[in-house]
Amino acid sequence: MAKTRIVALNKPYGVLTQFTDKDGKPTLSKFGLPSGVYPAGRLDFDSEGLLLLTDDGGLVHRLTDPRHAHPRVYWAQVERVPDEIALKSLRKGVQLSDGKTLTCGARLLDEEPELPPRNPPIRFRINVPTSWIELTMIEGRNRQVRRMTAAVGHPCLRLVRAAMGHITL
């Protein structure tokens, strides 16, 4: 019986979480990954961070189905500094167009996480400060973190997945 292969990749900004693209956007094919491994979940084109790839379909299901409650940790750089009311709203769940999100962990980070610079850099506005929040979630809807932070008045400027379960960047 063949061993399960698992690859942890720090996906950069501006790469699709697939191996081909008819429009010619950068994809996972440029990283020399082993054949037969596929993403366990997705990170959108504008997001960065931990992406797990495996050849085990059952593992993909266990990692991505919210019923298995595998936490995913995201660091989001947002406009302005969220107050406790905004953080509490995120924790309780936010009403989005596709329904209310599940409860999650949400906290303001004391300092910016150590990350490589993003290319291109985020937009910078002199009169609008930014801050970093950490969200710990078990569900992963399309662009969910971005929609949640926007719903509480703090648009997301940079989004990095820092962990899936016990695997971290």
Side-chain angles (χ1 to χ4, degrees), residues 64-135:
T64 57
D65 189 319
R67 289 178 291 191
H68 296 285
H70 286 285
R72 293 182 271 303
V73 177
Y74 296 89
W75 294 328
Q77 185 177 17
V78 297
E79 287 186 353
R80 297 178 305 285
V81 180
D83 59 15
E84 189 53 37
I85 294 169
L87 294 170
K88 189 174 184 180
S89 294
L90 290 168
R91 288 181 202 117
K92 289 175 59 177
V94 177
Q95 186 63 45
L96 301 175
S97 60
D98 56 351
K100 189 173 181 181
T101 63
L102 297 177
T103 59
C104 70
R107 70 182 183 96
L108 188 63
L109 294 177
D110 294 331
E111 53 190 51
E112 182 175 333
E114 287 188 38
L115 298 168
R118 195 185 86 173
N119 185 18
I122 65 156
R123 69 179 186 266
F124 177 74
R125 295 177 16 199
I126 293 172
N127 297 322
V128 181
T130 67
S131 59
W132 285 86
I133 58 174
E134 180 179 272
L135 295 171

Side-chain angles (χ1 to χ4, degrees), residues 7-11 16-18 28 33 39-43 48-53 161 164 169:
V7 176
L9 175 71
N10 187 358
K11 184 193 96 58
L16 291 172
T17 331
Q18 56 196 46
L28 297 175
L33 296 162
R42 295 200 172 262
L43 282 175
E48 311 162 59
L50 182 62
L51 180 66
L52 296 179
L53 299 101
R161 181 161 51 205
M164 288 182 74
L169 277 179

Side-chain angles (χ1 to χ4, degrees), residues 8-24:
L9 175 71
N10 187 358
K11 184 193 96 58
Y13 173 87
V15 173
L16 291 172
T17 331
Q18 56 196 46
F19 287 92
T20 60
D21 180 60
K22 62 181 169 77
D23 298 324

